[in-house]
Amino acid sequence: MIEDDAALARSISALLRASGHAVDHVPTGEDALAIVGSEPYALIILDVGLPGMDGFAVLADLRRRGERVPVLMLTARDALDDRVRGLDLGADDYLRKPFDPEELEARVRALGRRRGGDPTPQIRVGSLTINRSTGAVAVGERPIDLRRRELAVLEALATRAGQVVPREMLIGEVFGFDEPVGGNAIEVHVTRVRGKLAPDGPTIRTVRGVGYMLDAG
């Protein structure tokens, strides 16, 4: 998230983290351009009215670099020309301030699904279902109660079912860069999720020295 209003940034970060997202925040376009590309971001939330390099310039630079990550632009402006300009530069969606938190969450979910190539809100892996709109998880008819980071771990693995997800990538999707991460934090979350899926759900396999894989079989 690229937002110079510190109070708004804290509010949005808290909202999205409560929904299970890892959020990295920087206040300027220059800071954003220095870190984008270092992590496989699912979405960029970009304020138009940044000091110095504004949101349009940041967006143009990202697209020139070939960055295809979805961009949701936030703006206090109501001019049609501004919205058209942003979309022409490669923005994927626009949200005008002030906005309803539920609408922001809905747009974040929709853009995240678009990046994954699946526009539907539901993920299915064998008997496992994850509703990305509500956060509801079930194995067959059995509901699974997951904490927010457990849900983030499971969703990251489920969207890549049958593939090995490197440990560092999983950490990047579950924790923001300003959040302290203990040496075995991701292993603790994986172990908890594995236990909650057992005995009738998909298996999370450990690929030693690499990462984890949700068995798609």
Side-chain angles (χ1 to χ4, degrees):
M1 174 172 53
I2 308 144
E3 171 60 66
D4 63 310
D5 183 325
L8 179 59
R10 285 194 300 269
S11 176
I12 294 174
S13 295
L15 175 72
L16 295 178
R17 284 170 178 155
S19 299
H21 301 284
V23 182
D24 293 340
H25 167 244
V26 292
T28 70
E30 291 83 356
D31 290 337
L33 294 175
I35 67 166
V36 171
S38 65
E39 295 284 346
Y41 289 107
L43 174 68
I44 292 174
I45 298 176
L46 173 61
D47 182 32
V48 170
L50 297 170
M53 189 178 196
D54 71 11
F56 295 127
V58 174
L59 178 60
D61 198 303
L62 289 172
R63 294 310 188 219
R64 277 196 300 270
R65 293 182 183 190
E67 293 287 350
R68 303 312 307 159
V69 57
V71 174
L72 169 62
M73 300 198 80
L74 304 180
T75 181
R77 307 173 185 177
D78 194 29
L80 176 61
D81 287 349
D82 282 341
R83 296 198 299 274
V84 170
R85 181 184 176 193
L87 294 170
D88 283 345
L89 285 171
D92 295 88
D93 202 356
Y94 238 100
L95 190 57
R96 184 174 175 240
K97 300 175 182 178
F99 48 81
D100 187 288
E102 291 185 1
E103 182 177 7
L104 174 65
E105 287 188 286
R107 289 174 186 258
V108 166
R109 289 194 299 267
L111 289 171
R113 294 195 300 268
R114 185 185 304 175
R115 179 179 186 266
D118 181 1
T120 63
Q122 196 165 79
I123 304 171
R124 293 182 180 273
V125 181
S127 59
L128 171 71
T129 58
I130 304 171
N131 188 311
R132 289 183 283 188
S133 292
T134 64
V137 178
V139 171
E141 298 298 318
R142 176 171 65 91
I144 306 294
D145 183 26
L146 297 176
R147 298 175 181 177
R148 69 178 181 90
R149 283 190 173 137
E150 293 170 358
L151 177 60
V153 165
L154 182 58
E155 186 172 340
L157 294 173
T159 55
R160 304 173 181 87
Q163 304 173 36
V164 177
V165 180
R167 180 178 181 275
E168 292 305 315
M169 178 183 289
L170 199 56
I171 290 173
E173 295 205 11
V174 175
F175 299 94
F177 61 35
D178 58 346
E179 296 179 274
V181 182
N184 66 339
I186 202 68
E187 286 77 12
V188 169
H189 293 305
V190 168
T191 298
R192 287 175 178 165
V193 175
R194 184 184 281 138
K196 291 179 180 182
L197 294 178
D200 49 342
T203 301
I204 299 176
R205 303 188 185 280
T206 299
V207 181
R208 295 195 180 278
V210 182
Y212 302 92
M213 180 179 71
L214 186 68
D215 193 342

